[in-house]
Amino acid sequence: ETGVTQTPRHLVMGMTNKKSLKCEQHLGHNAMYWYKQSAKKPLELMFVYSLEERVENNSVPSRFSPECPNSSHLFLHLHTLQPEDSALYLCASSQTVNQETQYFGPGTRLLVL
Amino acid sequence: QKEVEQNSGPLSVPEGAIASLNCTYSDRGSQSFFWYRQYSGKSPELIMSIYSNGDKEDGRFTAQLNKASQYVSLLIRDSQPSDSATYLCAVNRPQGAQKLVFGQGTRLTINP
């Protein structure tokens, strides 16, 4: 596999469920990102990790919990989500956190019922 | 004022014509500018980056940057139906860990 991969590609969950999104990058990058993309809104940065250390948390509700066990993997743990959390969740990576060229994964389309 | 502004469109252009996409930004300290293309249901794909004032050409694509006017544009020559997508403008934020700020995107439709 090449580039940035994400699983699952689609997810439907109830408000009481717990699920996790997975991202893996095969580019040898040191920085990874979670973005949320809602209809008719700009991409919203959620979290930034540099060498497995979280360097940015953009006031994201605690029902979203990121985890970065190593520089190639990034998870987003979800629990007690709300319907307004339905969106496309995109993972991206860059060579370093200061390298602005980011490469995106295919995204997970999340629907919260 | 939004940090990065784009007209959301839709912008309709006939096949073979030049499509012109515009973006303005608010932070005068920004130095790096990117255009991403996003097909419906897909993830953003980097197509152009520009760092200096003037034009940068890559195939049918030309990025134009005017830092004095805080304006960056993307021209697509000989537009094809396959160019129909949403185009996202991204600008670097000099301060803080959030290095890229994205515009809302312009939806472009090329009509055969």
Side-chain angles (χ1 to χ4, degrees):
Chain A
E1 294 217 57
T2 59
V4 182
T5 58
Q6 289 185 245
T7 56
R9 296 293 307 279
H10 302 272
L11 179 61
V12 179
M13 59 187 290
M15 290 189 284
T16 58
N17 291 158
K18 290 183 180 181
K19 297 287 184 183
S20 295
L21 309 185
K22 179 183 176 181
C23 174
E24 184 174 0
Q25 58 94 3
H26 310 269
L27 301 168
H29 290 169
N30 291 324
M32 297 186 76
Y33 310 78
W34 279 118
Y35 286 89
K36 176 184 178 182
Q37 189 175 38
S38 304
K40 300 184 179 180
K41 292 176 71 175
L43 277 169
E44 300 173 54
L45 180 66
M46 300 175 72
F47 301 104
V48 180
Y49 275 83
S50 175
L51 293 170
E52 304 122 56
E53 181 180 336
R54 191 187 313 177
V55 296
E56 182 94 359
N57 176 345
N58 268 8
S59 302
V60 179
S62 60
R63 57 186 184 268
F64 295 92
S65 175
E67 178 190 1
C68 187
N70 55 63
S71 59
S72 299
H73 294 85
L74 186 63
F75 295 89
L76 188 62
H77 304 300
L78 317 170
H79 62 98
T80 60
L81 293 192
Q82 304 298 310
E84 59 264 30
D85 296 322
S86 300
L88 179 67
Y89 288 84
L90 290 160
C91 174
S93 72
S94 62
Q95 185 66 53
T96 68
V97 75
N98 292 312
Q99 169 52 259
E100 295 136 349
T101 306
Q102 295 180 16
Y103 298 89
F104 286 85
T108 295
R109 176 71 62 185
L110 174 66
L111 176 61
V112 181
L113 300 176
Chain B
Q1 182 186 7
K2 293 180 183 177
E3 288 189 74
V4 180
E5 291 209 56
Q6 295 181 256
N7 187 325
S8 61
L11 174 65
S12 293
V13 173
E15 184 176 358
I18 296 175
S20 178
L21 304 160
N22 304 317
C23 173
T24 58
Y25 60 95
S26 61
D27 192 332
R28 284 196 170 274
S30 296
Q31 297 293 325
S32 308
F33 307 87
F34 305 86
W35 283 100
Y36 284 82
R37 176 178 62 200
Q38 186 174 23
Y39 291 115
S40 180
K42 302 294 185 182
S43 61
E45 172 193 11
L46 180 67
I47 55 172
M48 288 286 284
S49 59
I50 186 167
Y51 306 94
S52 304
N53 277 330
D55 295 1
K56 178 181 177 182
E57 188 174 316
D58 184 1
R60 295 186 296 111
F61 297 96
T62 298
Q64 299 176 318
L65 175 60
N66 184 326
K67 290 184 182 178
S69 300
Q70 295 175 244
Y71 177 95
V72 57
S73 64
L74 180 70
L75 302 178
I76 306 175
R77 290 183 301 282
D78 188 23
S79 298
Q80 303 297 311
S82 59
D83 295 325
S84 298
T86 296
Y87 289 80
L88 305 175
C89 173
V91 176
N92 84 305
R93 177 187 283 172
Q95 307 298 328
Q98 181 175 348
K99 292 301 180 181
L100 277 187
V101 181
F102 286 83
Q104 184 178 348
T106 298
R107 187 156 60 91
L108 173 67
T109 300
I110 307 300
N111 301 308

